[in-house]
Amino acid sequence: MGRIFEVRKATMFARWDRMAKQFTRIGKEIAIAVKVGGPDPAINPALRRCFQNAKSVNMPKDRVEAAIKRAQGKEMENYEEILYEGYAPHGVALLVETATDNHVRTVANVKSIFNKGGGTLGNSGSVSFQFRKMGVFKLKPEGIDVDDLELELIDFGLEEMGESTDDHDNPVIVLRCVFNDFGKLQKALEDKSIVPLSSELEWIPTTTVPMNDLQAEEVSKLIERLEQDEDVSKVFHNMG
């Protein structure tokens, strides 16, 4: 079928890999949310957040329901969220969020990836001071008056509001709040019947490290290898 089919096939498999990774991550997040707050989304805002994120990546409803059932079962793995900190080449700070049922395996894998990629795994607190943990909400712009919404949400913890695009280059509105105001801003959006495309807790860098193309490629390869590990949920960096 020629070269074009091979390119399409590679692209297709890469997309399936990303989807599978996202489904696994959200499944773990559901398990953790159910364990902490129970299986009823009406009284569990963390679980509602998981549902929004599952919808944003087109995670099938039966997989979401299966994750909830597994989380309630006695045989369910006891996932623990662990944050690893370190440096990539060229002084780029990395934060690696993981959800694991075996921290010995996870730290060994993460350390090995850092070492092979020319980075260094650090101690707790060695990198996180360069970031702020913030709530990040992404909304569809249709039907939203940005100026009015910004004024209305300031009292509920809104710190930053701007425009961006999603993975498919569709326009989105991005809201940010400090970590402690996440639940307050989430409820304010719910009270306004605004359903976010996604709502996440992210580490936002306070400063960035400028990179040329070759340096950025080297750091990106390390980040990609970290993201491919089954226990890694997200990787944050301060690469400029």
Side-chain angles (χ1 to χ4, degrees):
M1 295 188 183
R3 174 66 178 168
I4 294 177
F5 173 75
E6 291 300 324
V7 171
R8 287 176 180 170
K9 184 171 70 172
T11 303
M12 193 164 51
F13 286 154
R15 184 171 68 249
W16 288 343
D17 285 344
R18 286 195 301 272
M19 288 176 61
K21 179 71 175 177
Q22 289 171 330
F23 293 172
T24 299
R25 174 176 66 84
I26 293 173
K28 290 181 178 181
E29 290 177 352
I30 289 173
I32 293 169
V34 170
K35 179 183 177 182
V36 173
D40 184 357
I43 59 174
N44 188 341
L47 187 57
R48 292 200 300 275
R49 176 172 65 86
C50 292
F51 287 174
Q52 291 167 355
N53 295 337
K55 185 177 180 180
S56 72
V57 297
N58 298 315
M59 185 172 176
K61 185 178 179 181
D62 59 342
R63 291 197 61 162
V64 174
E65 293 173 346
I68 294 174
K69 289 179 181 178
R70 285 198 306 273
Q72 295 175 278
K74 293 181 180 179
E75 74 284 354
M76 180 62 196
E77 297 93 339
N78 187 22
Y79 288 116
E80 179 182 7
E81 292 181 300
I82 303 175
L83 180 70
Y84 295 100
E85 309 181 28
Y87 283 96
H90 314 296
V92 173
L94 298 184
L95 291 177
V96 184
E97 286 188 346
T98 66
T100 178
D101 58 351
N102 185 333
H103 72 276
V104 175
R105 174 193 67 218
T106 305
V107 69
N109 289 348
V110 170
K111 185 175 182 180
S112 174
I113 295 170
F114 265 96
N115 291 341
K116 290 179 180 178
T120 305
L121 183 63
N123 298 321
S124 177
S126 62
V127 164
S128 56
F129 70 93
Q130 301 178 57
F131 295 78
R132 296 179 69 200
K133 191 173 186 181
M134 304 187 75
V136 180
F137 299 81
K138 294 181 181 179
L139 316 177
K140 282 185 178 181
E142 289 79 14
I144 292 179
D145 186 307
V146 175
D147 293 333
D148 287 348
L149 184 63
E150 185 173 16
L151 288 174
E152 292 169 359
L153 294 180
I154 286 176
D155 291 337
F156 298 95
L158 177 67
E159 282 215 352
E160 301 173 6
M161 186 170 181
E163 299 177 348
S164 186
T165 56
D166 62 16
D167 293 338
H168 304 288
D169 289 328
N170 298 313
V172 294
I173 299 171
V174 180
L175 315 179
R176 287 179 179 171
C177 66
V178 297
F179 170 69
N180 290 337
D181 287 332
F182 182 88
K184 188 163 62 172
L185 187 55
Q186 181 183 25
K187 187 175 188 307
L189 291 171
E190 291 174 353
D191 290 344
K192 295 179 182 298
S193 300
I194 297 176
V195 179
L197 293 168
S198 65
S199 50
E200 303 274 6
L201 294 170
E202 299 184 2
W203 292 90
I204 309 299
T206 54
T207 59
T208 57
V209 178
M211 297 275 108
N212 61 40
D213 289 345
L214 289 177
Q215 291 171 332
E217 183 179 358
E218 189 176 355
V219 175
S220 296
K221 286 180 180 179
L222 172 56
I223 293 173
E224 184 178 352
R225 285 194 289 269
L226 284 166
E227 290 176 335
Q228 289 172 350
D229 186 270
E230 63 178 352
D231 294 331
V232 173
S233 301
K234 303 171 193 170
V235 180
F236 301 97
H237 62 83
N238 68 345
M239 177 168 54

